[in-house]
Amino acid sequence: MCLTCGCGDEENVRVSTMDGPPHEHSSAHRHDHGHDNGPGHGHGHGHGHEQAADGHESARTEKLVLGEQILAKNDRLAEHNRGWLEQRRITAVNLMSSPGSGKTSLLERTIAELQSDREICVVEGDQETLFDAQRIKDAGARAVQVNTGAGCHLDAPMVQQAIEALAPSEGSLLFIENVGNLVCPALFDVGEQAKVVVISVTEGDDKPLKYPHMFSAADLVVINKTDLLPHVDFDLTKLAKQARSLNPDLEIIALSVRSGENLDLWYAWLHAL
Ligand code: MG
């Protein structure tokens, strides 16, 4: 599955806090932390019972087994994250999109307008740089940056580490800004309460059928940059029809972070979680 694009490589994952002196801790050998998981399971090494050298078919089988083990381990940790967050009445929202759709801009504006009601914290996921965590910090909220190296998504172990570093307060709103792509993030539960896909009108209205897993997994689609609609060929009705053919219960909000159009609908959706 996701192993084919190299994102099974955990060696270069880094979690960086943005408060106080910067420190990083490697998650090259991430563990289940023992407190709620079975011992000696889920480390994803394949255990060598079939050697790839035996031929292409056995290598393929081993890869599939490895993929299943990784997803099973991820799902266990995602449930652990979800339980931890629910106990503390922390609402966690996983934002997913292509690069450049406006996830970080949406968060900057949301922080500016909602933070007086409730603490907002952000887990930022990008392959490299601290750019987005710095933007969130500048907007006035606490953030932890996860750099995934070769990885193309956040997974539950990464989010667990990030939450431990961030320590969001009870009753807060936690955004998890996933790595920008419309494929792999859809496959990994991180323990969030809701998944949001952000798509901008400059990306084209044919994305739901091209990336069905993402739109099937989502609770809400935010269509951003509606202020640019006069300048692009983007059919809101077509996108909504495609998306709801995959996911009939999907909610859709078309808004503009830049102009502020319909941001009240986004805030109302968050309040209702
Ligand atoms: Mg971003």
Side-chain angles (χ1 to χ4, degrees):
M1 191 175 287
C2 211
L3 295 173
T4 56
C5 65
C7 64
D9 175 15
E10 302 176 353
E11 295 300 315
N12 295 314
V13 173
R14 298 185 305 280
V15 178
S16 305
T17 62
M18 302 299 288
D19 350 274
H23 73 273
E24 298 185 353
H25 42 196
S26 167
S27 52
H29 297 285
R30 297 195 306 259
H31 296 286
D32 288 349
H33 289 238
H35 39 259
D36 71 332
N37 291 301
H41 195 67
H43 289 268
H45 293 302
H47 296 286
H49 39 263
E50 287 171 330
Q51 297 300 318
D54 291 343
H56 178 74
E57 197 55 36
S58 66
R60 183 173 171 277
T61 302
E62 188 155 323
K63 200 168 198 176
L64 286 171
V65 170
L66 181 57
E68 288 168 7
Q69 287 175 344
I70 288 171
L71 283 177
K73 176 188 173 186
N74 183 80
D75 288 351
R76 284 199 308 277
L77 267 177
E79 280 309 309
H80 171 70
N81 290 346
R82 187 170 287 108
W84 191 93
L85 293 164
E86 283 176 0
Q87 278 177 3
R88 290 157 183 80
R89 298 177 297 102
I90 298 166
T91 303
V93 178
N94 184 1
L95 291 180
M96 302 176 290
S97 79
S98 301
S101 66
K103 296 186 299 301
T104 314
S105 299
L106 178 64
L107 291 180
E108 288 173 318
R109 185 125 186 197
T110 303
I111 289 162
E113 296 185 20
L114 292 191
Q115 190 157 242
S116 58
D117 302 337
R118 184 180 191 188
E119 189 195 14
I120 297 176
C121 298
V122 181
V123 176
E124 280 290 347
D126 281 300
Q127 287 196 322
E128 296 294 344
T129 81
L130 304 179
F131 293 167
D132 282 2
Q134 187 62 52
R135 284 175 62 184
I136 296 300
K137 187 179 177 187
D138 292 345
R142 294 191 299 120
V144 162
Q145 182 79 52
V146 180
N147 288 130
T148 57
C152 52
H153 62 273
L154 294 177
D155 63 18
M158 294 177 201
V159 170
Q160 181 190 40
Q161 284 199 11
I163 291 172
E164 284 174 1
L166 197 54
S169 62
E170 204 157 324
S172 59
L173 181 55
L174 174 69
F175 288 106
I176 299 157
E177 184 183 334
N178 222 306
V179 180
N181 81 71
L182 286 174
V183 184
C184 309
L187 302 173
F188 288 83
D189 183 3
V190 296
E192 72 281 81
Q193 187 170 334
K195 293 181 195 294
V196 176
V197 179
V198 182
I199 182 166
S200 60
V201 300
T202 56
E203 294 170 49
D205 50 25
D206 55 358
K207 295 300 175 288
L209 296 187
K210 285 185 172 180
Y211 301 98
H213 296 293
M214 179 59 70
F215 289 84
S216 297
D219 298 289
L220 170 70
V221 174
V222 168
I223 304 171
N224 187 24
K225 307 186 188 179
T226 53
D227 53 298
L228 296 178
L229 275 173
H231 309 290
V232 294
D233 292 323
F234 186 96
D235 185 337
L236 289 171
T237 306
K238 178 182 169 186
L239 183 129
K241 191 174 173 187
Q242 282 193 8
R244 289 198 172 117
S245 74
L246 298 162
N247 184 349
D249 298 326
L250 194 59
E251 295 189 65
I252 299 174
I253 298 173
L255 56 77
S256 168
V257 172
R258 179 176 285 269
S259 75
E261 180 188 21
N262 287 341
L263 279 172
D264 55 330
L265 300 180
W266 161 243
Y267 299 144
W269 184 86
L270 290 170
H271 280 306
L273 285 175

